[in-house]
Amino acid sequence: MSAESKAMSLPAPEDLVGVEAALKALPTDVPKPMLFTRDFSLTDRVAVVTGAYGGFGLETALAFAEAGARAVYCIGRSPEPPSKWKKVQDYAARMDGKAGEGRLEYVVADVTDKAKLEQLAREIGDKEGRLDICITGHGGSPSPSECLDYPPEVFQKTLDTNTMGALYVAQAFGKQMARFERGGSIIFIASMAGSVTLKDIHVMPYNVSKAAIVQMARSMACELGPRKIRVNSLSPGYMYTGMTAAFIDHSPDVWASQNPLGRTGLSHEIRGVVTWLASDASSFCTGSEYVVLSSR
Ligand SMILES: NC(=O)c1ccc[n+]([C@@H]2O[C@H](COP(=O)([O-])OP(=O)(O)OC[C@H]3O[C@@H](n4cnc5c(N)ncnc54)[C@H](O)[C@@H]3O)[C@@H](O)[C@H]2O)c1
């Protein structure tokens, strides 16, 4: 990097944070805390979330709205969002003191429909003039079956939704991030199942689909780093959501006993880590897998 371009990349004095801001401050300045108003803030950012009917997707959408996002586009398959989503949309709209507009928008697409996702991403980009955050919260686990006889069509369907769906979403919205040249953060919800043995749960395609996502994040991070687009994966352990509720309600101690904290996680416990990964607070983090409440 030349001396000139190096100098050009230095932050303006008003952008200084942390110790550098403290050292440059005049004795008469009254400094303001910046950790939550700047580093963790999503003010004016535009986000897209898949799987936002409930579970991690909906928690994420609300967290982003609270953190100041201008708009959070929630992608779902049904023509109409469920009443739970509408209630959260209304709650976000009425929230007092949130950092920004915090608008939740519902848009329809199946994550396996690449063409539809590309069209949707272009429309959102045209409307908002920016696209900053993309998080894939969709996914599902197939019925358990022995690996030696696993039905190939079920295996393929799981890969199509979990892995290819995540890829299509990241490609469509990643293109918009590149288009507006502001950088961005892509977060794939993977699973601890992508890298540990789930001894008594015979869902091989789910585990494979999540392992692929972890590596997809690393590969995309390497290619998209020069465009300032960060790509990470987030791997939850056992947490109570629509996907796991039936099992946890039936056998509350089985997974809880495998966790160092002695319990399964709650969906709202994803709020902090997704906001951190979406925001500038994680500006030097890319190509990594972050494990949340793992039992490994
Ligand atoms: N709950 C856990 O313990 C846990 C642990 C690790 C990873 N995960 C992962 O977290 C993610 C979110 O799951 P959750 O636990 O919130 O469960 P969830 O069932 O509440 O969410 C899954 C969402 O994906 C959506 N979806 C599925 N197929 C789709 C498609 N083809 N197009 C569009 N949307 C589709 C569903 O409608 C649903 O809203 C999933 O990828 C899951 O594998 C969950």
Side-chain angles (χ1 to χ4, degrees):
M1 189 187 276
S2 72
E4 190 186 359
S5 60
K6 208 170 177 180
M8 283 171 64
S9 67
L10 287 175
E14 64 273 18
D15 288 338
L16 296 179
V17 286
V19 170
E20 208 175 359
L23 297 180
K24 294 265 165 59
L26 301 172
T28 49
D29 286 349
V30 181
K32 291 204 173 80
M34 284 191 275
L35 188 61
F36 292 110
T37 54
R38 180 191 184 278
D39 301 38
F40 280 89
S41 169
L42 299 182
T43 300
D44 211 31
R45 309 269 165 107
V46 174
V48 62
V49 180
T50 62
Y53 284 171
F56 299 145
L58 192 53
E59 287 290 356
T60 297
L62 181 58
F64 288 174
E66 286 183 46
R70 182 202 305 173
V72 186
Y73 285 85
C74 300
I75 298 181
R77 280 178 291 182
S78 307
E80 285 295 318
S83 58
K84 184 176 176 179
W85 184 90
K86 286 184 185 162
K87 194 153 187 200
V88 173
Q89 179 195 39
D90 178 57
Y91 177 84
R94 290 185 290 109
M95 186 171 280
D96 188 26
K98 64 179 188 284
E101 197 174 335
R103 186 165 34 98
L104 260 56
E105 303 264 11
Y106 183 77
V107 285
V108 183
D110 190 301
V111 296
T112 58
D113 188 344
K114 182 171 163 56
K116 172 78 186 173
L117 288 165
E118 298 271 349
Q119 177 205 332
L120 204 57
R122 271 193 308 275
E123 287 169 6
I124 293 171
D126 289 348
K127 181 176 169 199
E128 301 288 349
R130 63 188 292 170
L131 202 296
D132 307 282
I133 305 157
C134 169
I135 175 158
T136 65
H138 69 268
S141 187
S143 304
S145 192
E146 296 299 321
C147 64
L148 295 183
D149 272 322
Y150 212 102
E153 62 282 3
V154 181
F155 204 121
Q156 188 61 55
K157 189 163 187 283
T158 307
L159 292 182
D160 287 346
T161 302
N162 290 3
T163 311
M164 297 309 290
L167 174 66
Y168 297 155
V169 171
Q171 287 177 322
F173 291 94
K175 276 178 200 160
Q176 297 303 309
M177 291 176 185
R179 170 186 172 191
F180 295 111
E181 300 183 345
R182 289 171 170 273
S185 175
I186 297 173
I187 306 160
F188 291 113
I189 304 247
S191 170
M192 68 167 180
S195 43
V196 301
T197 46
L198 300 185
K199 189 169 155 290
D200 297 317
I201 311 173
H202 299 160
V203 285
M204 178 180 49
Y206 180 78
N207 306 339
V208 171
S209 74
K210 294 300 186 175
I213 287 177
V214 171
Q215 193 58 14
M216 194 190 298
R218 292 194 191 103
S219 303
M220 290 184 75
C222 294
E223 290 192 43
L224 297 177
R227 297 179 191 222
K228 298 188 175 61
I229 299 171
R230 299 183 292 112
V231 191
N232 292 287
S233 62
L234 196 57
S235 287
Y238 297 121
M239 297 177 78
Y240 191 90
T241 64
M243 196 175 95
T244 53
F247 183 83
I248 295 174
D249 287 343
H250 180 261
S251 313
D253 297 330
V254 174
W255 289 343
S257 65
Q258 297 173 26
N259 188 285
L261 296 176
R263 64 179 178 87
T264 45
L266 299 169
S267 57
H268 70 75
E269 291 180 289
I270 207 86
R271 282 161 56 90
V273 67
V274 286
T275 306
W276 169 69
L277 271 178
S279 71
D280 295 347
S282 60
S283 53
F284 200 54
C285 301
T286 195
S288 294
E289 180 193 13
Y290 296 91
V291 181
V292 184
L293 285 179
S294 173
S295 50
R296 64 178 157 187

